[in-house]
Amino acid sequence: MRPQLIRFVPGFVALALAAGAPPVLAGEADALPPSVANAMAQASPQAIMEYRRKLQEYQEARDAFEQDANAYWSAIADKRRGRNAKRRDRVQISLDDYVLQQPPVYEGPKRPVNPAPEEEGGKPPRPPKTIPVVSDLVRAAAEQFQFTPQRPSSEVEFKRAYARYARAAGLTPEQAVRVYSFETGGTGNYDVQAGIEHGGKRAISTAMGYNQLLTTNTVELLAEQGHEFVRDLTARVAATQGPARKAMEHKLAVLKKMVAFTRTVPDDWSAHQRLADTPQGWACHAMVLDIDIGPMLQTHKLLTSVIFARNKGYTRPLTAAELEMMNLTGDGTGLDMVTMPQAMREQVPTTNFFQRSGYERNPVAIRHNTVAKLLAITNERMDFNSNKPGARELAAAF
């Protein structure tokens, strides 16, 4: 039940100086906050008037663009609803069910710089949201479930465990390796996190591992596929002897508790997202690091898409690029692209599969602005990254 995209609607900051307002006189400055009065005293009346003129031009151009853009994205949403209704009724989808024009592009003047910066306002800025990293996840697992993930002795050990489980579950080496190549750049370790890679110093999301699971992905997979994880781990416990068995039995008990926790809310992405942003949710995400549970989570992140397509009547094996579209955008939206004939892929803009805010922050989808082009660049990056050391090591593990 993954969403199409992370949704974020940017707002416009209202300006305190209205366009066309008269200049502030010396006697009126006493009524203004000191910081604003001082700034305006340093700006010449001519500069302020010129700013207001340019601001009005900008606002008029931007308002006209927003009218066109809102109409365009409303049409995108209407067409999407129409396609969904047709699929429910098993009616054939055609080109008429998509918006075939590219979105309007703002070409007006840039927003001018205010020579008299406004007051910051009375409210302190909201602190940035904390993004947990590996140390936070491990600490949460210890505190919430008295458990420490069993880390591999080497990267290749984790790759071999993932390859064994993925192959047995039905993923092909081509799917697993190429998606890994795209998601991690062909060099990522089992604990790689978005932002903390290729020299990065700061996490930009909770996406982690070969297939970049978010905390919400982990919570959802435990809720929906947890019975399979418990069954598989129970079999491993039965096959384990000696001192190691006690540790495996504890791991199984913790897994059962985590699955029960994730099922305390409805099977809904938003509900899972709320759980994921709690200490218990962080603890669940720590299982991505575990040598036994981690490969299960990584595999089922992709396998759910394969099963979804099969259940919808799509029997041809998914290419890695097609699987990545479902992995990135959600199963329903991704399948829309996957099932599209090549002739339609050449004509249908990528905007049909995005929310506006997500599209405007996605330079790849903007540059490669049809389904065919987006799939082509995905394949191209997979081809290139598949030759890197991590991808070659994963391929050898199969």
Side-chain angles (χ1 to χ4, degrees):
M1 300 182 70
R2 284 169 283 169
Q4 295 172 1
L5 280 159
I6 299 172
R7 299 177 184 179
F8 173 76
V9 181
F12 289 102
V13 178
L15 297 174
L17 296 176
V24 177
L25 301 178
E28 298 174 321
D30 294 337
L32 295 172
S35 59
V36 177
N38 292 339
M40 295 192 74
Q42 296 172 9
S44 69
Q46 293 81 4
I48 294 173
M49 291 297 292
E50 179 66 7
Y51 162 72
R52 290 172 176 163
R53 183 187 67 77
K54 290 182 177 180
L55 178 62
Q56 184 170 0
E57 289 179 355
Y58 165 78
Q59 289 174 327
E60 289 173 354
R62 193 75 202 185
D63 287 347
F65 166 75
E66 285 299 322
Q67 267 193 318
D68 292 342
N70 288 338
Y72 179 87
W73 287 100
S74 291
I76 290 286
D78 290 342
K79 292 285 189 180
R80 184 182 295 122
R81 284 191 289 269
R83 292 197 303 276
N84 290 340
K86 277 193 167 184
R87 286 194 186 88
R88 286 193 296 270
D89 296 336
R90 300 184 181 278
V91 177
Q92 182 69 35
I93 304 295
S94 69
L95 269 177
D96 292 337
D97 296 306
Y98 298 92
V99 174
L100 300 181
Q101 295 76 34
Q102 293 294 339
V105 177
Y106 179 70
E107 296 178 338
K110 293 181 180 180
R111 179 177 169 176
V113 176
N114 190 349
E118 290 100 4
E119 180 111 9
E120 288 293 327
K123 294 183 180 179
R126 180 181 296 178
K129 183 178 179 180
T130 300
I131 298 175
V133 294
V134 167
S135 59
D136 300 311
L137 303 177
V138 172
R139 183 166 54 251
E143 292 173 352
Q144 300 300 319
F145 292 93
Q146 295 72 56
F147 177 76
T148 300
Q150 181 185 349
R151 309 284 286 272
S153 60
S154 65
E155 176 62 26
V156 72
E157 182 187 9
F158 197 97
K159 282 188 169 71
R160 287 169 180 162
Y162 173 52
R164 283 194 303 271
Y165 191 87
R167 183 189 284 277
L171 289 182
T172 68
E174 187 259 358
Q175 289 171 328
V177 173
R178 288 174 68 80
V179 170
Y180 161 87
S181 298
F182 185 86
E183 291 282 357
T184 73
T187 59
N189 291 343
Y190 74 98
D191 58 354
V192 65
Q193 185 170 357
I196 310 176
E197 55 189 358
H198 311 304
K201 303 297 183 184
R202 184 176 63 85
I204 59 174
S205 84
T206 59
M208 187 174 293
Y210 297 163
N211 298 321
Q212 291 290 278
L213 281 73
L214 298 165
T215 47
T216 311
N217 291 129
T218 297
V219 167
E220 185 154 280
L221 286 166
L222 287 171
E224 295 178 351
Q225 312 297 326
H227 59 286
E228 293 188 38
F229 302 165
V230 168
R231 181 198 63 205
D232 291 349
L233 193 61
T234 299
R236 295 187 193 185
V237 170
T240 305
Q241 303 296 327
R245 178 159 180 151
K246 185 175 182 180
M248 288 292 285
E249 288 174 341
H250 178 57
K251 184 185 299 189
L252 177 59
V254 169
L255 176 61
K256 289 178 178 178
K257 289 179 182 177
M258 288 182 172
V259 171
F261 162 73
T262 62
R263 292 177 176 173
T264 56
V265 298
D267 186 9
D268 173 80
W269 178 268
S270 297
H272 291 153
Q273 195 169 39
R274 288 190 292 273
L275 281 191
D277 196 23
T278 65
Q280 296 98 319
W282 290 12
C284 291
H285 200 43
M287 282 300 197
V288 172
L289 307 169
D290 186 82
I291 187 64
D292 294 307
I293 311 300
M296 297 180 188
L297 290 165
Q298 297 289 353
T299 294
H300 281 269
K301 174 69 155 41
L302 303 184
L303 192 62
T304 51
S305 297
V306 173
I307 294 171
F308 180 89
R310 190 183 304 144
N311 289 343
K312 293 294 183 180
Y314 192 78
T315 56
R316 183 178 64 77
L318 293 168
T319 68
E322 291 171 339
L323 182 55
E324 181 60 31
M325 290 301 102
M326 298 178 71
N327 189 33
L328 285 174
T329 66
D331 291 334
T333 300
L335 191 64
D336 195 355
M337 288 188 269
V338 167
T339 56
M340 189 180 293
Q342 183 62 32
M344 288 176 61
R345 290 181 179 182
E346 301 284 350
Q347 300 179 64
V348 175
T350 55
T351 47
N352 285 276
F353 311 98
F354 286 82
Q355 302 295 326
R356 178 183 176 182
S357 58
Y359 178 81
E360 290 177 344
R361 293 185 299 171
N362 191 325
V364 175
I366 291 172
R367 286 196 301 270
H368 308 279
N369 58 8
T370 65
V371 175
K373 290 178 181 177
L374 187 59
L375 284 165
I377 191 61
T378 302
N379 267 316
E380 182 181 313
R381 291 188 178 183
M382 287 178 171
D383 288 343
F384 180 77
N385 291 335
S386 291
N387 290 317
K388 293 185 177 177
R392 291 201 304 269
E393 188 175 67
L394 180 58
F398 277 91

